[in-house]
Amino acid sequence: MAKKTPGAQNNKTVQKTTPFNALTIVKVSLFLLLSGLFVYLTIAVSHVQDDAFITFRYVRNFIGGNGLVFNAGERVEGYTNFLWTMLLTIPAYLKINIIDASQYLSVLFGILILFVTWQITQLTGRKLLAAPGRTKAQARYFSLLSFLPVLMLTLTGAFSYWAVSGMETTMFGFFNLAAVFFYLNNNEKWNNNYLVAGFLALSALTRPEGYLLCALFCLYSTIHLVKNSRGAEPGYLTNTVLSRNSIITVSIFLLPAVLHTSFRLYYYGHLLPNTFYAKANFSAAALKEGFAYLEVFLKDYLLYGVVLMLPLLSLAGKKLRYELGFLYLLITGYSLYVISIGGDVLPLHRFWLPVLPLLYMLWTLGILYLALYLQDRNSKMQIPLTVLTVLFTLAFSFGNFRGNERKISRMTDKEIGLVDQFKQKADILNKLAAAKNKRLTLAASTIGALSYYTDATIIDMLGLTDETIARHPQTIDEISNDPEVSWKEKRYNAEYVVSRKPDYILFSTGTKPSAYAERALFAVNGFFADYFNQFIPTSSGKFLYIYARKTEQQKRLNNPAIQTGKINPEFIRHYTHLLHYLNLFREGRKDVFITVKNEFDETIKTCPSFFSEPFRIMGDACFMARDYPNAEGYYNKALAADSLNILAYYGSCYLYQRLGDQGKTVAMVKKIYDYALIDNSIFPDLDLFRVFARKGYHPQ
């Protein structure tokens, strides 16, 4: 045998280590590339979700010394992300913009999700490959295949959308996946899973669903502990449960959970957060909504459920039964919970994101299992089928991305527009508060950005941050059971809102009641008796339409029936239809005029005598149809029923201006000012006499 030279030995060493080093470089490069793509995609949909501003307001109040509250002096737990809220107090304390910080942190946790997804896939795949006859080439092949779930997740538009939203979604997802990784890595030794217990504790402190996931972890561990105790020494089960390691593991989770629960009971006075009472809706209707929520998810990202089929093949093998059984339990248990509560009120599958990486992992494991299964049977279809499956996955992932790109772009633009809109309204309210030299109280159904950018006391009409509405909701059958209302938030208490005497009530869509809580106000006499639609000029030609609290002088102008007149809530549905058809007519749909008239007749049959809006709407319709005599008649009827109907005054002004009757125009403008239907605090330069009476008519 020839003697080996040192050089030859060195060359051999290089030959052994180079493939490993090259593969490592390739894997790291792939991960960095996918992470970079993920960051790029988050930039493309960069926005801050309106709901995130609720958390920001809690942080601001906490740092400002008001306590962990939404409104100063009101201890209500209106958030579901305790740990995220506490985390954001750090940049807030350091005077770092918490809006930017929330986005950076959210994206960072998204990258960590990609990393842990990759690691769990590798972990489970290595066990499947740890059998006689498996080659190093197969291991290298799977090292690259394990990036498929990362790619699939990166190209999931909903993941990018929520990862930059400023919310806790990715932090919660990372804690859950980290717990899964260490659980599977510990090889069924549940009783010394210190890291698992720690990450589950962090998960539970981040969102309440973390407790559910912990329960599923415990259930699976208990099943296997009981299974392993069969045939074991007497006392095995008891000794394991009561061992030092078991006590430490359980304590790591229970200690922060008990401390947090104790804080909640002491500070807020309730075992569960207020949001649970505001959102909880375990009913047949909720189940129906939950299955609809699942259906849209399957359609958008799982090819109507086809992607769930391939992973089922791997269940036939024995090698991964423990791991696969655990993953399927997590997915099933969590999914049943999401369905039972009716899904999420927010769009784009936020509640499915915690299980989506697991589904993508199972799909990839299914590909590996299929390849190994065909190899063991010496099938000539092994390579073609495996290649086709991988190509299908790539095409499916890019198809998902392209198929949802426009929807996500529209939703991003909508959310940015919503936040900007309510930021502007908050600025107006701040100026009003300064002009009136008082702290305003405002009731609203969309409170996120509005609440953060104003110091006003906010009454959340949906009950998320209001204890009375959440725990003592009102029920009006004609409103609560109306299938035409698309809002999922069904808690409201209109009488309570009116009793709080807010200075202003702001609807989400101007003056039209859209949410259940907004519609409920139209069924309460006190709302009509105490509030009217006021115009607040903000600049030349721009107004904020808001329901303002009446002064005593304005109340004296009320229709006597406004206090005692019976209200049939059925009229609200007809009224919203009437507004809808009027808008279509205004947009040029001349064919809907008859529909407007028919809906007007239905509204008049059911609405209270003091509700003047149907007459005003018909006045507008007749004016646009150039039927001026009838327009004048309807406007007069509107003002006879409610002398504070500013829209009827405006319509009359335009009508008389068109007819050239400047005397009547001036009379209408004078009443607008006499009855204080416009608040010029912000933009005092507006002079309606100059706007409407163009030939110099002014009040005497």
Side-chain angles (χ1 to χ4, degrees):
M1 179 180 292
K3 186 177 179 181
K4 297 179 181 179
T5 64
Q9 182 65 37
N10 288 339
N11 288 337
K12 188 173 182 180
T13 302
V14 170
Q15 290 174 354
K16 283 185 178 180
T17 57
T18 299
F20 171 79
N21 290 335
L23 183 60
T24 301
I25 292 171
V26 169
K27 289 193 293 184
V28 171
S29 299
L30 272 175
F31 178 75
L32 292 176
L33 179 65
L34 290 173
S35 297
L37 176 61
F38 164 69
V39 173
Y40 171 78
L41 293 176
T42 61
I43 294 172
V45 294
S46 181
H47 74 288
V48 180
Q49 192 73 19
D50 186 66
D51 282 39
F53 288 92
I54 297 176
T55 299
F56 301 158
R57 175 156 165 140
Y58 273 92
V59 172
R60 188 185 66 191
N61 277 328
F62 184 68
I63 295 298
N66 294 319
L68 198 56
V69 296
F70 185 75
N71 289 319
E74 298 179 14
R75 291 190 178 186
V76 181
E77 189 178 4
Y79 55 87
T80 51
N81 51 8
F82 174 76
L83 193 58
W84 181 249
T85 304
M86 291 294 98
L87 179 61
L88 290 181
T89 61
I90 298 173
Y93 180 78
L94 297 174
K95 307 299 182 184
I96 298 173
N97 186 305
I98 61 170
I99 298 175
D100 294 338
S102 70
Q103 290 185 293
Y104 289 132
L105 287 169
S106 190
V107 171
L108 173 61
F109 280 111
I111 295 172
L112 292 175
I113 284 178
L114 296 179
F115 179 76
V116 180
T117 298
W118 171 36
Q119 294 304 306
I120 296 174
T121 309
Q122 285 199 123
L123 176 68
T124 49
R126 280 197 296 265
K127 187 168 184 180
L128 195 58
L129 289 167
R134 305 303 181 205
T135 65
K136 292 182 179 179
Q138 288 175 329
R140 288 195 293 270
Y141 157 74
F142 183 71
S143 291
L144 299 178
L145 190 67
S146 63
F147 281 98
L148 270 185
V150 182
L151 174 65
M152 295 170 78
L153 197 56
T154 300
L155 294 177
T156 298
F159 180 59
S160 301
Y161 178 90
W162 287 110
V164 74
S165 66
M167 298 184 72
E168 75 286 351
T169 307
T170 50
M171 186 170 88
F172 178 65
F174 166 68
F175 290 151
N176 295 331
L177 287 176
V180 169
F181 172 78
F182 288 110
Y183 185 87
L184 295 178
N185 193 48
N186 210 33
N187 196 26
E188 304 184 32
K189 296 177 183 178
W190 74 275
N191 61 322
N192 62 349
N193 272 333
Y194 302 154
L195 287 173
V196 174
F199 279 111
L200 286 176
L202 293 174
S203 172
L205 290 175
T206 303
R207 285 195 62 84
E209 294 91 338
Y211 287 99
L212 167 66
L213 292 169
C214 178
L216 294 173
F217 272 74
C218 291
L219 173 63
Y220 201 71
S221 296
T222 301
I223 291 171
H224 277 269
L225 181 61
V226 172
K227 180 181 177 182
N228 293 338
S229 68
R230 295 171 185 170
E233 297 179 0
Y236 168 81
L237 190 60
T238 303
N239 292 336
T240 303
V241 171
L242 297 179
S243 68
R244 178 175 175 272
N245 285 336
S246 298
I247 294 172
I248 294 175
T249 300
V250 172
S251 298
I252 289 173
F253 176 83
L254 282 183
L255 182 59
V258 169
L259 289 174
H260 181 222
T261 303
S262 300
F263 163 75
R264 176 180 285 151
L265 283 170
Y266 168 76
Y267 196 75
Y268 297 114
H270 297 281
L271 183 63
L272 298 173
N274 190 70
T275 50
F276 170 81
Y277 300 96
K279 291 183 177 181
N281 183 26
F282 299 100
S283 63
L287 279 176
K288 183 179 179 180
E289 292 175 358
F291 280 112
Y293 186 66
L294 173 63
E295 181 183 3
V296 176
F297 172 60
L298 294 176
K299 173 186 173 183
D300 284 353
Y301 288 114
L302 297 179
L303 205 61
Y304 291 95
V306 171
V307 175
L308 300 176
M309 298 298 102
L310 182 60
L312 293 176
L313 291 175
S314 53
L315 286 175
K318 296 181 180 180
K319 198 69 176 175
L320 287 179
R321 281 189 179 176
Y322 176 80
E323 288 80 0
L324 294 179
F326 174 60
L327 296 179
Y328 275 110
L329 175 66
L330 292 181
I331 293 169
T332 304
Y334 181 82
S335 298
L336 289 174
Y337 162 76
V338 172
I339 292 170
S340 70
I341 63 173
D344 190 15
V345 299
L346 298 178
L348 298 179
H349 317 296
R350 178 176 64 126
F351 278 3
W352 294 121
L353 292 183
V355 298
L356 194 58
L358 303 181
L359 292 171
Y360 289 162
M361 290 177 214
L362 289 172
W363 171 263
T364 304
L365 290 173
I367 295 175
L368 178 62
Y369 181 82
L370 177 64
L372 296 177
Y373 176 83
L374 293 172
Q375 182 197 42
D376 291 344
R377 282 152 183 76
N378 297 318
S379 173
K380 295 180 180 179
M381 296 300 294
Q382 178 199 359
I383 294 177
L385 275 180
T386 304
V387 171
L388 282 175
T389 309
V390 172
L391 290 176
F392 167 80
T393 304
L394 296 175
F396 160 76
S397 300
F398 281 101
N400 268 350
F401 176 76
R402 294 294 297 172
N404 289 283
E405 189 175 17
R406 288 185 179 179
K407 180 195 294 187
I408 292 172
S409 179
R410 286 196 304 268
M411 193 58 63
T412 300
D413 292 341
K414 179 181 177 182
E415 203 63 29
I416 292 172
L418 179 70
V419 170
D420 287 343
Q421 173 191 349
F422 280 99
K423 184 178 180 180
Q424 292 169 12
K425 290 180 178 179
D427 182 58
I428 295 169
L429 291 165
N430 290 336
K431 291 178 180 177
L432 278 174
K436 298 176 184 295
N437 194 26
K438 64 176 293 190
R439 184 188 184 93
L440 298 178
T441 298
L442 174 73
S445 53
T446 304
I447 64 168
L450 183 71
S451 68
Y452 180 69
Y453 289 109
T454 181
D455 290 327
T457 298
I458 303 291
I459 302 171
D460 176 16
M461 294 200 296
L462 305 183
L464 295 176
T465 62
D466 190 282
E467 191 173 295
T468 300
I469 295 174
R471 291 174 171 80
H472 306 287
Q474 180 184 13
T475 300
I476 302 173
D477 291 338
E478 293 86 349
I479 294 173
S480 298
N481 299 324
D482 188 347
E484 296 179 4
V485 182
S486 59
W487 289 59
K488 285 192 173 184
E489 300 92 338
K490 295 186 177 182
R491 298 293 176 104
Y492 56 85
N493 191 326
E495 292 181 353
Y496 160 76
V497 170
V498 173
S499 73
R500 287 282 303 270
K501 300 181 179 180
D503 298 292
Y504 298 101
I505 299 177
L506 182 64
F507 283 8
S508 56
T509 52
T511 59
K512 177 185 176 182
S514 173
Y516 290 101
E518 295 168 355
R519 293 190 175 205
L521 286 169
F522 276 62
V524 176
N525 289 83
F527 174 69
F528 294 108
D530 293 347
Y531 291 89
F532 73 105
N533 184 17
Q534 187 178 55
F535 281 16
I536 301 175
T538 59
S539 63
S540 180
K542 292 187 178 180
F543 296 86
L544 171 65
Y545 305 144
I546 197 167
Y547 289 97
R549 185 166 177 80
K550 293 177 182 177
T551 64
E552 292 303 318
Q553 178 187 357
Q554 290 168 331
K555 287 181 181 180
R556 285 194 288 271
L557 298 171
N558 280 345
N559 186 320
I562 205 167
Q563 293 286 2
T564 58
K566 184 174 177 58
I567 298 178
N568 177 5
E570 184 67 25
F571 93 89
I572 302 168
R573 183 164 55 88
H574 292 297
Y575 168 58
T576 55
H577 290 175
L578 183 57
L579 285 171
H580 171 69
Y581 290 118
L582 176 70
N583 288 333
L584 291 180
F585 186 60
R586 183 177 284 117
E587 291 168 2
R589 288 279 305 276
K590 303 301 182 184
D591 57 307
V592 302
F593 182 82
I594 298 300
T595 309
V596 173
K597 182 63 172 66
N598 292 337
E599 204 60 58
F600 165 78
D601 293 336
E602 292 300 317
T603 308
I604 287 298
K605 289 178 185 177
T606 52
C607 75
S609 61
F610 53 81
F611 187 63
S612 62
E613 273 292 88
F615 296 109
R616 189 274 304 175
I617 291 171
M618 275 308 301
D620 285 354
C622 290
F623 178 78
M624 287 185 285
R626 299 185 180 181
D627 181 0
Y628 300 137
N630 276 323
E632 182 179 21
Y634 282 120
Y635 285 141
N636 287 338
K637 287 181 180 180
L639 294 173
D642 180 5
S643 57
L644 297 179
N645 189 329
I646 188 172
L647 290 171
Y649 284 114
Y650 255 71
S652 297
C653 286
Y654 282 110
L655 173 65
Y656 292 133
Q657 189 182 60
R658 178 72 58 85
L659 295 175
D661 193 334
Q662 293 178 324
K664 288 185 178 180
T665 302
V666 170
M668 289 292 134
V669 174
K670 189 173 186 304
K671 285 189 176 182
I672 291 175
Y673 280 113
D674 288 345
Y675 298 158
L677 303 182
I678 284 187
D679 187 337
N680 284 75
S681 301
I682 299 176
F683 188 68
D685 293 337
L686 178 70
D687 184 351
L688 291 180
F689 293 107
R690 287 202 300 268
V691 173
F692 288 111
R694 295 175 182 171
K695 291 187 178 180
Y697 275 84
H698 290 273
Q700 301 299 321

